Amino acid sequence: MLRVGLLGAGRIGRVHAQAIAAHPKSQLCAVSDAVADAAESLASEYGAAVRSSGEIIADPSIDAILIATPTDTHSDLIETATQAGKAVLCEKPVDLSLERALACKSVAEASGQPVMVGFNRRFDPSFSSLKSAVDNGEIGAPEMLALTSFDPAPPPVSYIKVSGGLFRDMMIHDFDMANYLMGQLPQQISAVGSSLVDPAIGAAGDVDTAVVTMTYADGRIAVIKNSRRATYGYDQRIELLGSGGLLQAKNILENAVVKSTADGVTGAKPTYFFLERYLPAYRAEWDAFVQAALSGAAMPVTLDDGVAALAMAEAATRSAQSGRPVGMDEVLKPVAK
Amino acid sequence: MLRVGLLGAGRIGRVHAQAIAAHPKSQLCAVSDAVADAAESLASEYGAAVRSSGEIIADPSIDAILIATPTDTHSDLIETATQAGKAVLCEKPVDLSLERALACKSVAEASGQPVMVGFNRRFDPSFSSLKSAVDNGEIGAPEMLALTSFDPAPPPVSYIKVSGGLFRDMMIHDFDMANYLMGQLPQQISAVGSSLVDPAIGAAGDVDTAVVTMTYADGRIAVIKNSRRATYGYDQRIELLGSGGLLQAKNILENAVVKSTADGVTGAKPTYFFLERYLPAYRAEWDAFVQAALSGAAMPVTLDDGVAALAMAEAATRSAQSGRPVGMDEVLKPVAK
Amino acid sequence: MLRVGLLGAGRIGRVHAQAIAAHPKSQLCAVSDAVADAAESLASEYGAAVRSSGEIIADPSIDAILIATPTDTHSDLIETATQAGKAVLCEKPVDLSLERALACKSVAEASGQPVMVGFNRRFDPSFSSLKSAVDNGEIGAPEMLALTSFDPAPPPVSYIKVSGGLFRDMMIHDFDMANYLMGQLPQQISAVGSSLVDPAIGAAGDVDTAVVTMTYADGRIAVIKNSRRATYGYDQRIELLGSGGLLQAKNILENAVVKSTADGVTGAKPTYFFLERYLPAYRAEWDAFVQAALSGAAMPVTLDDGVAALAMAEAATRSAQSGRPVGMDEVLKPVAK
Amino acid sequence: MLRVGLLGAGRIGRVHAQAIAAHPKSQLCAVSDAVADAAESLASEYGAAVRSSGEIIADPSIDAILIATPTDTHSDLIETATQAGKAVLCEKPVDLSLERALACKSVAEASGQPVMVGFNRRFDPSFSSLKSAVDNGEIGAPEMLALTSFDPAPPPVSYIKVSGGLFRDMMIHDFDMANYLMGQLPQQISAVGSSLVDPAIGAAGDVDTAVVTMTYADGRIAVIKNSRRATYGYDQRIELLGSGGLLQAKNILENAVVKSTADGVTGAKPTYFFLERYLPAYRAEWDAFVQAALSGAAMPVTLDDGVAALAMAEAATRSAQSGRPVGMDEVLKPVAK
């Protein structure tokens, strides 16, 4: 039985609390949040204690820490939790600063404690099934990857302002998915972005519509499309062309009803937003963490993965701003020891 | 080169004229129609002569006769045309009377001339591809067949009155399709029908909505659904469950555009009605006739097939009227020699 | 909080136990099963007590009884539980004997306690969404219903022998779905059935492949197709043609991955069997029961519904055996008081 | 009646010959080809004369010239044909040299004769239906366009060597489609390309796999994916995200049969290659040309369109070679007068 302390009782913290409680081998023991009411409400629902994050991390009866706090606290919490001997699952992104994330990784590695980064999409049943098909050689050698990720509606501009920008906040999932499916880092990244959805996003210095092209040392190509608004719902698709065929992961629909009338043949929209769309993924992610934490096996997603995606987001941000392709070495070399 | 006389210049006659003219090995030489203008107009379009049906049949330079006249003339024309040494393609149904159709078959067979009945759906690319899959054993032994045929809108009641009723006029295509796919006649037929679409159809003694269940000597089952109205278009589908899987022929859509909005995900409707839906089938049907007529090979659809479908329509009509299952022997024995 | 006793710790009992435990307003207090180990194992997993069914029903601290025992015990347990003042959710079918089910209904009604029958499919998100669309008039007046229910593989013949036959055991779900969607009982039922899947099923006097046609007083028609074997999985589909269009509930697929290769374009199979396919339905069913039990509102599925479906199964069984249509009054009148 | 001379009797010439002959208002009068046998064979099939291209252009009884010769002859033939007073339909691309194409355009414009460039895809029923939906505002303001064009297999390297490269030979269709749908030229083009399919293509200095990103003055974005090999067939898809929804044009499949077995649910592949896929488009293209030529209305696709697509191909080629984005003004200014 894994005894878990949850740091952060917001929207994503609640999703994790449910997964922790539902898992036969984990127990939600303590919850912290800067907003006392949020912590109280969540803790009482699951019979957990409310405590500060410091107390939870210091408690020797706690085995694992789930970090679901604001991004700017992630690195510090990973460091103190691993130094306190805890296994850690931290929500993405590790940090908005690549340099800070790399420093955090050094500290965590020195502690010897396992850290998993919450790239939940790797655990989506369709995406992991697609990955298996690739690994089984069902489409031969992968050649061209295309990821489509459209949110149903943009977040408030107040959130945009502290988000680190679309590439670090939203596309970071796609960068990790590219690494997961292509099995290596790209060599070069070329990004274009615009503010078409909400002028306030542009005024805040961010983009809401973007396309990123990535090239690999062996000539393969990946392209990512992001938009902050798809009026029909949460659009999450993958296409991978290989020497032997094409794999696609299509959208998950709200239901399987189709209506045919004089106006056409109409089916349901994609499931609305990430909590519903990726619920099975969050469950499977937690299960993978519990299995690894209890068995001592390697974490399926590591701080290396978190740093890699962050470096790609950094390169994309620079490319969109400068209007030229940015090599990954240009981003990684200056911060490497 | 097959020199062809076309009897009937109505809607279906025009479809055939186009196929005859477009085929590299057939030539439309003469056209007849009770309505002089219709014959004139069609003949002038293709550079053919206008003549009476009797003249066309008697003309020794004509090799083949295509009969696209009203149903009550079919048997007589088949008989005189085959006795005049012509190859014949006759539109379905052969006749409204099973007895008359059987008599016609005897006369035609005595002539030694080949006769094909126009069950065009056998030549639809999807349906013939499904048939090939069955014959290749791709779903093992067929067990349960389900045919769905909905017209977009009912014909005028004046047509209904001379049509012979839904089972002979509309479902006859499905009876033939069942024979094509199941490879044998059913043993027993059970039919129910209602007038739900247009009360005038009911007042005329016919039904517009019907379900027919057929059982085979070896225990297999087939079910046919017909409606005279589907507001979304012409619905033409096949499902065949076998010991090793399921084969479905889905609808052909007007185009491949899909629109996703806040109202749902909407695709195109099925192609509107039989001329558009079965255009490739009419072309392939004519090609099959030309090939057989020129080579002397057996016709791919025969008067036997036309009589079989008519006998099934007769059984279904009796079942719907009597409220009890009707054996095929009950229909066939009294008319057999 | 609803305190629940669960009678029956088999496969379906375990599904219900999970739903009871996961619901914020119900608690699994006690479990009984003829097989002591099964009860022990399930009870310990959820911290419930193991007791006999008699003890559970007699316990005044228990509010509701969930009956998931073999069918031949259902009526007795419904009677004793309602007489002991419990709310009851009983798995389908109520009984194999229509007469016994009607007697049970009288006793339960006299007790004044609410009883819900476990027709879980009414709570499937796609099916209930289709029902809402019908009720909203989205396809005008319903005219022709077609239900397809194929199991992936037949149960053991030992089960078949005590099942009451395909119409009572398997098609009873479809009979209830027809009632749910058509809003009234049919007037007449016509059934055909064969043993094509497994000769041992035929030898046991049952069928494994069946088609049932039902006609309604107002002329509407419904048709049900059942097979005990679909090699591609659990096939559960609905089609309802109305005066204004068609509604279809398609299969739920294992995942959303599609692979295109030289062999074709291949997607996932339907989810395998009822536990996975109807998991959300079982959850929603339990929630509906809890809501009604706690609020005193009418149960959404009643013993009347259970008896109606059983009477239809009885009529279908007689029709398949006699080879003629059977009127619902023929089945219902002799057993009515 | 439009009297037509066809220059070029190769594969694409034969497609056009069929369309010319089948159209009620055009007549194929004369055919030329450098390969005498090809011209003879095609001409005899349609009862046309075999003559040199010079003779055909000089013949005053010929109204229109269809140019289906190798690309390096296009500009010269357009010039002489328009100067001889003919209406011209010329296959794409106008030329491999942007400068030469612009000079040709000047000559043709001076002649006052109408010239249409053969971007057949604009006439594909699905693509033109998608365009209508955009124009009708069905998805609000277009924001992000994604075009996918994969050939089933690469052409011989001998063809690659004279093709002008993937961007001018293959992606030129996608450049025109972007112009058609976005309604304006992009501001900047960024291209990456690799030789992954066939090393001989790379050795010939070309790429077989490429992604191009285009940005517009108003911030909109378009992305094009091309591959010379998709083992499952000819993959031709469009996606356009707008402020109010998404429009997709999906592939046209060989047939509508779907097979469900233990191996999955398999449908047909896309129609194989452009002659079959775009047959209706070639017919509609020819009809549009005939209508415009006979009525004097403006051609629906002009030399301006041909030059625009060629300029985009030029920009993409330079971008792929230099590794930096290329502005359209950089390409267009030096050649502008």
Side-chain angles (χ1 to χ4, degrees), chain D residues 57 62-64 79-87 111 113-114:
Chain D
I57 289 172
I62 296 286
D63 305 310
E79 290 179 358
T80 53
T82 52
Q83 286 175 323
K86 311 301 187 199
S111 79
Q113 290 303 312

Side-chain angles (χ1 to χ4, degrees), chain A residues 143-144 146 150 192 194 196 211 213 218-219 221 225-227 229 231-232 237 239 241 243-246 248 323 325, chain D residues 143-144 146 150 192 194 196 211 213 218-219 221 225-227 229 231-232 237 239 241 243-246 248 323 325:
Chain A
E143 293 172 351
M144 184 161 25
F150 301 159
V192 297
S194 302
L196 299 172
V211 170
T213 305
D218 52 12
I221 304 173
K225 294 180 294 166
N226 269 192
S227 169
R229 177 187 56 203
T231 58
Y232 53 92
R237 287 173 289 146
E239 280 197 29
L241 178 71
S243 57
L246 180 79
Q248 296 170 292
Chain D
E143 293 171 352
M144 185 162 26
F150 301 158
V192 296
S194 301
L196 299 173
V211 171
T213 306
D218 53 11
I221 304 173
K225 293 180 294 166
N226 269 190
S227 169
R229 176 188 57 202
T231 57
Y232 51 93
R237 286 174 290 146
E239 279 197 30
L241 178 71
S243 58
L246 180 79
Q248 296 170 293

Side-chain angles (χ1 to χ4, degrees), chain A residues 6-10 31-36 38-39 50-53 68-69:
Chain A
L6 170 63
L7 314 187
V31 176
S32 75
D33 198 287
V35 180
V50 175
R51 298 161 73 188
S52 74
S53 60
T69 53

